[in-house]
Amino acid sequence: LGGWDDRYISLDTIGNALGLGGKADDGVDGGNFYTYWNDDSYQKAKALAYVKRDLELTWDVAMRLGVRQ
């Protein structure tokens, strides 16, 4: 009890739990984002899609939870 997992939930998990869908599943994650971002245009497009989905999902979760009026 009291560990990190007890206090926080991932964006992917809460998005799915709220019926909003999860994060993009295209191989990009926080650990390798920089590699994708600094690669060719195809890989950079995947990095941009990853960031866009994160922002959209964060907004959708906030709206669903009533965080913003």
Side-chain angles (χ1 to χ4, degrees), residues 2-48:
W4 188 89
D5 289 337
D6 294 335
R7 295 178 287 150
Y8 301 98
I9 187 168
S10 72
L11 181 59
D12 186 62
T13 298
I14 196 166
N16 281 312
L18 294 174
L20 301 169
K23 295 177 70 163
D25 187 18
D26 59 2
V28 183
D29 60 39
N32 66 13
F33 175 83
Y34 184 77
T35 302
Y36 278 78
W37 180 253
N38 283 314
D39 209 320
D40 61 28
S41 61
Y42 174 73
Q43 298 293 54
K44 186 171 275 193
K46 288 176 76 172
L48 286 171

